[in-house]
């Protein structure tokens, strides 16, 4: 039973200005910067500095990037950019940054379609890279060629060779196609964001084998014969530029154009690669941006002739100067066998797949006057075993991390 109030309660309306007080002029827009700074310090007590340094020489940029990487453990990169100088001269400079810092700067430039920038990532020698292609030909000298059909034929061979060699099954949705075609030149980049090699030399070696396979198929199938095109000098060449796998190559960024051309690289209309945001698209388009968790595939050439594109006989650890080396998927040196051996392993020099175990072992090293650090790790998935190579002041010690499937997994 509800008790009624007699007489009924009357609610008076209160002027908001009387309740909150009269605002002073401009007070609604005034912000206490001091409190914002205090909150930011609480949220991030050790803010990372922005890295943005320019150099006139590539070698100086490499030295600075490596120095920052070794000292501060930042994943530094080197990019090239061009701008016009006097008397129509082209000036090229080199930028040392991180992908995170560079993206913040490049994002607004990437959207300048009327005046696109001219930026290039540098695919450094002996550094990891994604599988990538630079495709081009001149329609004037190849009137019968259909670029889109040629790419479909090329992908057919790539998918078959990747499945045969690495047991990885790719599909068109795994390929990002970027286009900068003009009436006088067909031009595309193909990027495979989820398929990476330990070095660009290994990538080039694999590409050379694909071209060899296509050369054999061209004798029996006109579709693959069409992947060879005529240059303006009348020379017949494969329509993929095989020079982009040599040392320290520049590779144009999405949204960038060759200086003075105003034809930026953009997603091809027939590309089937899906992306959720502009930032995700940018990172997927980079040949040299490799997520730390991405497996890196090794490759040794099966061709008997000397490989002019790479140095496949170099030591696998030739990228050891990269202190942020990614996990490596190791296969038998017998590349005729597609199935990995029982001893296949994943290794690296930075964070292992089990950071909690790694952190614990690191805390146990510097004790009793012994100075040391974790040099590298080696993980055997089939045996649930992870090994840590520890460098001590008087030598090297290998420590087993125990059962990697235990509750210590990070």
């Amino acid at each position: 039973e509800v008790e009624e109030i007699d007489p009924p309660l009357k609610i008076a309306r209160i002027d908001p200005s009387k309740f909150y007080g009269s605002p002073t002029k401009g007070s609604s827009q005034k912000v206490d910067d001091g409190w914002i700074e205090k909150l930011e310090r609480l949220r991030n007590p050790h803010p990372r500095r922005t890295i943005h340094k320019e150099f006139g020489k590539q070698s100086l940029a490499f030295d600075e990037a490596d120095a920052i990487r070794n000292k501060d453990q930042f994943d530094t990169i080197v990019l090239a950019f061009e701008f016009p100088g006097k008397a129509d001269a082209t000036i090229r400079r080199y930028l040392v940054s991180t992908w995170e810092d560079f993206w913040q700067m490049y994002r607004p430039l990437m959207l300048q379609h009327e005046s696109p920038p001219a930026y290039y990532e540098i695919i450094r020698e002996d550094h990891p890279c994604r599988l990538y292609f630079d495709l081009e030909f001149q329609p004037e000298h190849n009137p019968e060629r259909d670029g889109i059909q040629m790419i479909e034929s090329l992908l057919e061979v790539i998918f078959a060779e990747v499945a045969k060699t690495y047991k990885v099954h790719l599909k068109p949705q795994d390929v990002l196609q970027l286009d900068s075609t003009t009436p006088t030149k067909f031009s595309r980049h193909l990027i495979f964001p989820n398929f990476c090699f330990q070095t660009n030399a290994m990538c080039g070696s694999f590409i050379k084998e694909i071209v060899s396979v296509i050369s054999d198929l061209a004798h029996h199938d006109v579709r693959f014969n069409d992947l060879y095109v005529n240059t303006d000098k009348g020379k017949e060449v494969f329509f993929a530029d095989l020079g982009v796998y040599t040392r320290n190559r520049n590779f144009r960024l999405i949204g960038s154009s060759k200086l003075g051309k105003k034809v930026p690289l953009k997603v091809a209309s027939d590309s089937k690669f899906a992306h959720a945001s502009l930032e995700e698209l940018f990172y997927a388009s980079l040949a040299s941006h490799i997520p730390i968790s991405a497996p890196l595939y090794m490759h040794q050439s099966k061709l008997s002739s000397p490989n002019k594109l790479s140095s496949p006989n170099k030591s696998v650890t030739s990228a050891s100067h990269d202190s942020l080396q990614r996990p490596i998927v190791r296969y038998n040196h017998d590349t005729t066998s597609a199935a990995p051996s029982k001893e296949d392993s994943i290794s690296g020099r930075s964070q292992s797949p089990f950071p909690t175990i790694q952190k614990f072992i690191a805390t146990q090293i510097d004790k009793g006057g012994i100075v040391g650090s974790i040099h590298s790790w080696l993980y055997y998935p089939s045996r649930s075993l992870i090994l840590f190579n520890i460098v001590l002041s008087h030598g090297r010690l290998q420590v087993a991390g125990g059962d990697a499937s235990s509750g210590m997994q990070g």
Side-chain angles (χ1 to χ4, degrees):
E1 184 174 333
V2 179
E3 181 181 357
E4 293 185 358
I5 298 178
D6 186 24
L9 179 66
K10 294 183 178 180
I11 301 176
R13 182 181 182 278
I14 301 176
D15 190 320
S17 64
K18 292 181 179 180
F19 184 81
Y20 293 104
S22 299
T24 57
K25 185 177 181 181
S27 63
S28 61
Q29 299 178 355
K30 187 176 180 181
V31 178
D32 188 344
D33 294 334
W35 277 107
I36 291 179
E37 292 178 1
K38 291 176 183 178
L39 290 173
E40 181 62 24
R41 284 198 297 270
L42 289 173
R43 186 185 69 83
N44 187 12
H46 303 291
R48 184 182 68 78
R49 72 180 189 274
T50 299
I51 299 176
H52 185 108
K53 296 185 178 182
E54 295 183 10
F55 297 86
K57 293 184 177 180
Q58 186 186 81
S59 59
L60 296 178
F62 284 166
D63 290 343
E64 179 65 15
D66 293 341
I68 295 174
R69 178 187 294 263
N70 294 332
K71 179 182 178 181
D72 301 320
Q73 297 294 295
F74 292 158
D75 200 358
T76 47
I77 57 169
V78 178
L79 303 107
F81 64 98
E82 297 176 342
F83 56 93
K86 296 181 180 180
D88 295 328
T90 297
I91 300 176
R92 174 176 291 178
R93 291 184 64 82
Y94 299 91
L95 171 65
V96 174
S97 187
T98 65
W99 283 125
E100 179 184 4
D101 292 336
F102 178 73
W103 165 246
Q104 297 302 321
M105 182 206 75
Y106 187 68
R107 186 182 187 282
L109 301 179
M110 183 177 169
L111 302 175
Q112 295 179 2
H113 303 300
E114 296 301 321
S115 55
Y119 275 85
Y120 299 79
E121 61 176 312
I122 298 180
I123 305 173
R124 293 187 64 175
E125 181 181 22
D126 294 333
H127 280 59
C129 71
R130 287 163 163 158
L131 178 60
Y132 65 99
F133 290 83
D134 184 4
L135 310 175
E136 59 184 30
F137 68 88
Q138 296 171 300
E140 177 184 359
H141 304 290
N142 302 274
E144 303 299 324
R145 296 293 188 264
D146 182 339
I148 295 178
Q149 180 58 55
M150 292 164 68
I151 291 176
E152 290 180 0
S153 299
L154 173 63
L155 291 178
E156 180 181 330
V157 178
I158 294 172
F159 293 164
E161 289 302 303
V162 168
K164 175 183 176 182
T165 307
Y166 299 103
K167 291 296 184 181
V168 174
H169 300 281
L170 300 174
K171 52 187 181 300
Q173 290 78 5
D174 296 317
V175 187
L176 173 58
Q177 296 194 40
L178 304 177
D179 184 84
S180 62
T181 296
T182 67
T184 59
K185 184 179 181 181
F186 178 88
S187 179
R188 286 207 181 182
H189 286 180
L190 304 186
I191 309 292
F192 294 70
N194 300 316
F195 193 79
C196 314
F197 286 97
Q198 188 188 353
T199 69
N200 69 315
M202 291 183 181
C203 180
S205 178
F206 182 64
I207 300 306
K208 188 172 183 180
E209 290 186 9
I210 287 178
V211 175
S212 178
V213 171
I214 291 175
S215 177
D216 292 338
L217 292 172
H219 294 294
H220 314 287
D221 193 329
V222 67
R223 292 182 304 145
F224 301 107
N225 186 64
D226 286 349
L227 301 187
Y228 291 85
V229 296
N230 296 315
T231 67
D232 55 356
K233 297 180 180 180
K235 184 179 179 181
E236 187 178 69
V237 297
F238 190 67
F239 87 124
D241 183 356
L242 302 182
V244 297
Y245 308 104
T246 54
R247 60 194 302 267
N248 304 327
R249 293 292 298 197
N250 291 351
F251 205 55
R252 187 153 47 109
L253 296 182
I254 185 173
S256 278
S257 171
K258 292 183 178 179
L259 189 64
K261 299 295 184 180
K262 295 185 178 182
V263 185
L265 269 174
K266 57 185 180 181
V267 179
S269 59
D270 56 319
S271 178
K272 295 179 173 58
F273 183 84
H275 56 277
S277 65
L278 187 65
E279 182 176 7
E280 183 180 309
L281 172 64
F282 170 74
Y283 283 113
S285 71
L286 300 168
S288 59
H289 178 263
I290 315 296
I292 192 67
S293 60
L296 300 181
Y297 292 94
M298 296 170 57
H299 187 76
Q300 286 188 323
S301 178
K302 294 181 290 185
L303 302 178
S304 56
S305 59
N307 190 345
K308 297 180 180 180
L309 299 177
S310 60
S311 305
N313 294 324
K314 271 190 175 181
S315 170
V316 170
T317 59
S318 58
S320 60
H321 62 272
D322 182 356
S323 60
L324 298 180
Q325 186 178 9
R326 274 73 172 182
I328 301 168
V329 177
R330 302 179 183 273
Y331 284 88
N332 287 328
H333 290 293
D334 178 12
T335 54
T336 60
S337 175
S341 71
K342 293 181 179 180
E343 289 302 306
D344 286 336
S345 62
I346 303 174
S347 64
R349 295 180 183 272
S350 58
Q351 181 169 290
S352 73
F354 307 97
T356 303
I357 298 176
Q358 182 174 345
K359 183 177 180 180
F360 171 77
I361 292 177
T363 62
Q364 305 303 306
I365 297 174
D366 294 332
K367 287 187 176 182
I370 298 177
V371 179
S373 62
I374 294 178
H375 174 267
S376 59
W377 51 267
L378 187 64
Y379 174 48
Y380 296 89
S382 62
R383 297 160 57 186
S384 296
L385 175 67
I386 185 167
L387 302 176
F388 292 94
N389 288 313
I390 297 174
V391 177
L392 303 177
S393 57
H394 56 275
R396 181 174 295 181
L397 176 68
Q398 189 175 71
V399 177
D403 183 1
S405 62
S406 68
M408 294 186 66
Q409 179 177 348

